[in-house]
Amino acid sequence: EGTGALIQVRATATDAEVGVKQVYVQIDGGTQYPLTAGTGGSWSADIPVPNVDGIDVVTKQIVVTAKDYENNPAVAPASTTPASLTPA
């Protein structure tokens, strides 16, 4: 954070029974950043790139979670994406 760099997060989340209430993304289990609903089940957010220390490239897990109107969470295996970050 602090560099102004952003990670574009795009996801598709649908629930045929009660509908999707919220979708959020986390990096390594940290802050939950809400995604904004679009059309056709699309959700999106631009989130700040986290700080990393040292000089080596660091891998972080980006996880997208969706909850329906009954608060049932869903995390698809495909939505857990490693991201390699280079210290600034």
Side-chain angles (χ1 to χ4, degrees):
E1 292 178 312
T3 65
L6 298 173
I7 298 171
Q8 291 184 347
V9 179
R10 306 293 179 257
T12 301
T14 58
D15 184 310
E17 294 179 15
V18 296
V20 177
K21 179 170 84 173
Q22 75 179 106
V23 179
Y24 61 88
V25 62
Q26 291 176 280
I27 298 176
D28 282 349
T31 301
Q32 293 181 357
Y33 296 98
L35 277 68
T36 301
T39 59
S42 67
W43 295 77
S44 63
D46 294 335
I47 64 172
V49 173
N51 285 331
V52 292
D53 294 325
I55 59 171
D56 297 323
V57 173
V58 177
T59 300
K60 301 281 187 179
Q61 289 296 315
I62 298 174
V63 178
V64 175
T65 302
K67 288 188 177 181
D68 66 14
Y69 280 95
E70 293 179 353
N71 285 321
N72 297 311
V75 179
S79 67
T80 303
T81 306
S84 296
L85 305 174
T86 303

